Amino acid sequence: MINIPTRDEFIFSLKCFAAAMLALYLAFRIGLPRPFWAPLTAYVVSQPMAGAVRSKAVYRVTGTVIGALAIVILIPTFVNYTGLFALVIGGWFGFCLFMSLMDRTPRAYAFLLGGYTVGFVAMPAIADMATFSISSIFDVAVARSEEIILGVLCSTVVHSLVLPKGIGDIILQRLDQVLDDGQQWVKNILTARQAETGSQLDLNKLALAITELRIMSTHLPYDTTNVRWTTNIVRSMQDRFSALVPILSAVEDRLHVLHTSNSGKLPEEWQKLLDDIAEWITRGAEKTDPGDAIRLRRRIDRFMPSINGESHWEDMLLANLSSELYRLVDACEDCFDLRRKVNIGLKGEMPPSEMRETKVSTMTLYVDRRLALSSAFATAMSMIVSCLFWAASGWPTGFAAPMMAGMYCMFFSTFDNPVPILKIQFFGTLMSSPVSGIYLLWLLPSAHSFEMLVLLLAPFLIWFGTYLAKPATAVKVIPFMFTVLATLTMFDMGSANMTSYINSQISQAIGVGSAALFMAIFRTASVDSLIQRLVHSIWNDITKLGEAVKAPSAIAVTVKMVDGISLLAPRLALATKTGGTKNPGFIAATNILSDLRVGLNMTRLLRTETKLERHHMSVRPVLERLANYYRQGKKSQDAATEELLREIDQTLYRMANTESRLQQNQAIAALAGIRRDLFPDALPYSPSTAGDREKDQAKKTPEIPPEPDKAGDTVKTIDTTI
């Protein structure tokens, strides 16, 4: 069944066609040698959102210039050495792809363009032996760069000026939707009715929405709406959303435990506090008074239990809950304040200096280096083999094989499994051959004016262009549509013939098939392995926290780990849909929210470590055992796991019995959170049991005798029980 395009999709297609024809007209007028490169580039750059077009245009132009420089340097140096030339070109493609996969922002387009511009420009030039010379390669690189940059500029101008569809409004809608969902989830968690029935909190969905917003907002500085002036505020607001994920999950878990231990009910004063917090958050940004947040924080401080040597597990859980509620109020107040700043900024009433907000860099997002390396290797091998095949066969139009192989490998390496998509591209390329032949050999040679050329191209480009607006349909249309345009770039209209056309189509099909083959050999990864690597990356970050000397930013830790959750969510859903897995990494990944909370509590312990040591109390043994636990992939033996639990309990006991209350509550709250998240099924902490263990430990710990130094003096004895 054919889906009829919508009005917006037709408008988008018309703008794409207008940009392509403008680029083609200017290319003809300027006298560029291969004018069809300009409309092809205009279509490649086009995006439904004007901001995305403009941001990608900047990086595409940068990548084209980098590619042109690589052509001028590499081709004259290695073109006379066939094997070495194939290795160098393959290595360049692999390097550029690897660098692009290490950056999940529009900056990646610069590396992609720098890679396949070499293939698109150098291969046809080398194949044209009648005119090719080492001295002419500079002119060819300049001409192709001019054609590509012309297409980029025309697409940018048309999409920016003609009925521009700003990305800013969509981002604001997404922000408000996430904020509304967060408010509803808070209400569900904190109210007594929901606490009894259980909340339906989908934090994976929230994490996925936050990461999508973060990637989308990288286009915001280039948008056509006034929202671009509030880019830093929007990104800071996303950071606060990330902070809500571990806070909400921790509050939900602690309330569940406390309700269970109190026969389904909390003390009345506690429930009243929770209801008031929920009511304040539900009112939203425009209806809240900053003084309300101050009063709520004071009430939380009053409700914070005073921990001493006789305090039990419930008191420590309440201390942890109090600290999480305090952070919940802080995060929500920041979200409301930032949302008000966005509205003020849209009206132009806030000075630019006041609109600056600290934000977490997108470079902190997770990347799979192993996947990037395997993708780069598969691309390099596809290019090397295709180049050697072209050289060994002496096939004049065989240049299309490495050109298409490299391009398709680079385009679809971001998919977990690109092989099914590449198969679609292969069949789409085959299906486009008759259309390419009709245009190249029949219709275009009969067009004796630019107006006639536009009329001939309009039905095909406008109709299929409507399917480029949606990713689901674009994947199927791109090979059919772009291959036709790419074929037109390979020939002069007067020199095309049936023989050269058929050879070019076969060569293109071989290139796409080569991309699919080498990706299937070197790049295919199971969902289980992807999940396991991502989970271990998160565990490695937690291990580094346990070994850190200085506490990192809690927001930065949260943003990165929430991004990891957003990458895990769809893969976990896919693994579950296909029948689950026996992979240990998959099983452990289902508790990744608990690991996120553990990591944050370790960060909070690091922040208190220096001040605690001044009072002869140390959390370093706990941090080291936690680092070792995650370093071993949470596969520690029962004895080691029991030792970690014992160390946490003894540290809690020491903290509770200290005379100094400085930093005590923060450390106890963090330790209680770690204990609950790592050992949810363990027996509750007991001061008597922990005290007995502490006494036994003190008896077993030998006293270290003083040792004389070089001057004959003695050093002080170290108290190893601390």
Side-chain angles (χ1 to χ4, degrees), residues 242-514:
S242 296
L244 284 174
V245 174
I247 292 172
L248 289 176
S249 63
V251 170
E252 182 184 36
D253 178 79
R254 307 316 182 240
L255 286 177
H256 172 73
V257 176
L258 291 170
H259 276 93
T260 302
S261 62
N262 285 278
S263 302
K265 292 184 179 181
L266 282 176
E268 184 177 348
E269 63 275 9
W270 267 97
Q271 190 58 60
K272 181 64 169 62
L273 172 63
L274 297 177
D275 291 340
D276 289 345
I277 294 174
E279 189 273 334
W280 172 74
I281 293 175
T282 305
R283 273 187 276 147
E286 299 301 328
K287 299 179 181 179
T288 55
D289 179 1
D292 292 339
I294 296 174
R295 286 186 285 273
L296 287 173
R297 279 191 285 264
R298 288 175 178 172
R299 289 176 63 186
I300 294 171
D301 285 336
R302 290 199 302 270
F303 279 44
M304 173 76 76
S306 179
I307 305 298
N308 54 49
E310 301 301 321
S311 297
H312 286 265
W313 180 231
E314 185 174 323
D315 298 321
M316 295 183 175
L317 273 182
L318 284 173
N320 180 258
L321 175 62
S322 298
S323 65
E324 296 295 346
L325 290 175
Y326 203 100
R327 295 186 186 99
L328 176 62
V329 173
D330 284 346
C332 289
E333 184 183 31
D334 287 344
C335 287
F336 296 155
D337 182 57
L338 291 169
R339 188 64 183 89
R340 285 190 290 265
K341 283 186 178 180
V342 170
N343 290 337
I344 296 172
L346 292 177
K347 298 175 183 177
E349 299 175 1
M350 182 180 294
S353 59
E354 294 184 19
M355 297 170 66
R356 296 173 185 169
E357 291 285 341
T358 56
K359 60 186 184 300
V360 177
S361 171
T362 52
M363 296 302 292
T364 62
L365 302 182
Y366 276 104
V367 290
D368 192 330
R369 288 177 175 79
R370 181 175 174 182
L371 201 64
L373 283 172
S374 62
S375 298
F377 183 75
T379 301
M381 289 301 299
S382 178
M383 285 294 299
I384 292 170
V385 173
S386 298
C387 285
L388 293 176
F389 166 74
W390 173 34
S393 65
W395 191 7
T397 55
F399 70 88
M403 185 177 75
M404 301 299 281
M407 183 188 72
Y408 276 96
C409 282
M410 297 186 93
F411 274 178
F412 299 102
S413 289
T414 54
F415 289 82
D416 285 351
N417 184 7
V419 176
I421 305 297
L422 287 172
K423 289 180 180 178
I424 294 175
Q425 308 306 301
F426 177 76
F427 289 112
T429 301
L430 295 179
M431 293 174 63
S432 70
S433 294
V435 179
S436 301
I438 292 173
Y439 270 102
L440 183 66
L441 302 175
W442 178 33
L443 295 178
L444 296 189
S446 63
H448 299 293
S449 67
F450 180 76
E451 292 78 7
M452 181 61 70
L453 182 62
V454 172
L455 290 175
L456 291 174
L457 292 172
F460 172 74
L461 293 179
I462 292 176
W463 175 256
F464 285 98
T466 59
Y467 296 101
L468 294 177
K470 293 181 179 180
T473 54
V475 170
K476 300 178 181 178
V477 170
I478 282 175
F480 186 82
M481 187 176 177
F482 285 14
T483 303
V484 173
L485 292 172
T487 301
L488 300 181
T489 67
M490 298 180 189
F491 300 95
D492 294 323
M493 294 300 101
S495 65
N497 55 63
M498 181 63 74
T499 301
S500 60
Y501 161 72
I502 292 176
N503 277 273
S504 71
Q505 296 302 294
I506 295 174
S507 181
Q508 288 185 69
I510 290 174
V512 180
S514 173

Side-chain angles (χ1 to χ4, degrees), residues 19 22 53-54 151-162:
L22 175 62
V53 175
R54 293 165 68 171
V152 171
L153 294 178
C154 289
S155 180
T156 303
V157 169
V158 171
H159 285 282
S160 299
L161 299 180
V162 180

Side-chain angles (χ1 to χ4, degrees), residues 700-717:
K700 294 178 182 178
T701 303
E703 183 178 352
I704 300 177
E707 297 181 2
D709 60 10
K710 294 181 180 180
D713 296 330
T714 59
V715 297
K716 294 183 179 180
T717 303

